[in-house]
Amino acid sequence: MDFGMTEEQRAVVETTRAFVERELYPHEAEIERTGVLRREVVEEVKAKAIAAGLYAANVPEEFGGAGLDTVTWLLYERELGRANYALHWTAVARPSNILCAGTPEQVERYLLPCVRGETWDCLAMTEPGAGSDLRGMKARARREGGDWVLDGTKHFISHADVAGFVIAFMASGEEEGPRGARKLITAFIVDRDAAGLTIREGYRNVSHRGYTNSVVEFDGVRLPASAVLGEPHKGFEVANRWLGATRLQVGATCLGRAERAFSHAVEWAATRTQFGQPVGRFQGVGFKLADMAVEIKAATLMILEAGWRYDRGEATDADMAMAKLKATEMLAMVADEAIQVHGGMGLMEELPLERIWRDARVERIWEGTSEIQRHIIARALLRPFGA
């Protein structure tokens, strides 16, 4: 494994970091103050991101994206992760790669407009009664003639308010498994204006101001067979193939925020004086900096190694779980310690630390809670022994 960056990777990192500092940072204060990401800001930044070649960088070249390999993509995500999440996710969008599994007609109608920045997609999986246990979802799809009819409710659906269509995962049948009957899942593409589809404002939350969530309701939504993404009853298979690295994406954005918080802590510790010397010279502060540096380095290596394995086709669920677990819990620690180093100033809005601290909390929940990641890791350790 080569630990050095290629020239291409270095260019991606430098270009993305410069874009983040020049085009994203100036808008953060407004979003944090108002909780709203104005559409005018989105369109302005989006145009610049497209011109810079940073838009839809995760999508394969054959579909008009940058076609970054996983490691390079994670380096890119790390740089974007330094900024307000709503801003970089909406204005420098990364369409769901799961759309690559679509038919040529679906690619033309849904994926390519996302790549061109004409619309956004949203993924609807989570339900009020089915979060980590997706097999427990109640929303269902039933066949009726040659059509499918969808009923049920999804919630915590990110940026559904701006999406032009929904990629909805619905229970579509049952099959017998080793532990009894289990639900089959089918993925559907549902246009925003489909009869029976309602998108309602979601919940106010402490993390990622400006990044919205919605409640999505399906009430007798009738779809043709051509709306199925992938194959009927194979929703998990298509998701696992195309969405497998999203846990690493979460981890990579955590790296960016942790590095930003850490840089503030180091600068403060080196320039803030108390009792005639920089506060970083006091063991209680200096040791915090050392611990933060070690945790960031460890999480970075785990994320990039998992990405390297993913590109080689060797990544396991445990690899992804370990990396996501480490990066998200590292961010929580670094954000908290960076504030502690600053004392009361760390909680003031003049610095990004209180935002990073708030935003860090959700990372241990979405894309699989820390407990789910530990379950995946433990299961992999015990499996060879039949336990």
Side-chain angles (χ1 to χ4, degrees), residues 166-345:
V166 180
I167 303 169
F169 289 77
M170 315 292 282
S172 55
E174 287 188 347
E175 67 177 354
E176 286 299 320
R179 299 181 181 179
R182 65 174 187 171
K183 291 178 180 175
L184 297 167
I185 307 297
T186 300
F188 297 89
I189 302 178
V190 187
D191 289 323
R192 184 184 187 87
D193 60 359
L197 178 68
T198 301
I199 298 176
R200 296 194 291 104
E201 184 177 351
Y203 316 99
R204 294 179 60 85
N205 62 86
V206 69
S207 296
H208 299 317
R209 288 178 182 166
Y211 187 79
T212 59
N213 69 85
S214 299
V215 176
V216 181
E217 298 172 339
F218 302 83
D219 184 8
V221 176
R222 181 176 291 273
L223 301 174
S226 60
V228 173
L229 181 60
E231 298 179 38
H233 311 312
K234 300 292 185 181
F236 272 138
E237 286 81 350
V238 73
N240 287 337
R241 179 182 177 189
W242 292 102
L243 298 178
T246 53
R247 280 174 285 172
L248 298 185
Q249 181 183 39
V250 170
T253 60
C254 287
L255 296 179
R257 263 170 286 151
E259 289 180 352
R260 187 176 178 186
F262 180 62
S263 67
H264 279 281
V266 172
E267 182 178 0
W268 181 267
T271 58
R272 169 72 165 171
T273 59
Q274 292 285 283
F275 306 105
Q277 63 180 334
V279 297
R281 292 292 186 93
F282 294 104
Q283 195 174 79
V285 174
F287 279 17
K288 289 183 184 299
L289 298 178
D291 288 342
M292 292 158 71
V294 170
E295 290 300 303
I296 291 172
K297 182 69 170 289
T300 299
L301 291 174
M302 290 183 73
I303 288 289
L304 294 180
E305 193 246 4
W308 176 75
R309 286 185 175 278
Y310 192 83
D311 277 333
R312 293 165 60 90
E314 299 173 355
T316 65
D317 287 344
D319 291 329
M320 316 282 265
M322 287 181 188
K324 197 264 184 183
L325 176 66
K326 182 63 175 179
T328 56
E329 300 211 339
M330 173 277 296
L331 175 59
M333 174 266 195
V334 169
D336 193 72
E337 292 287 53
I339 287 176
Q340 196 70 17
V341 168
H342 281 77
M345 194 62 200

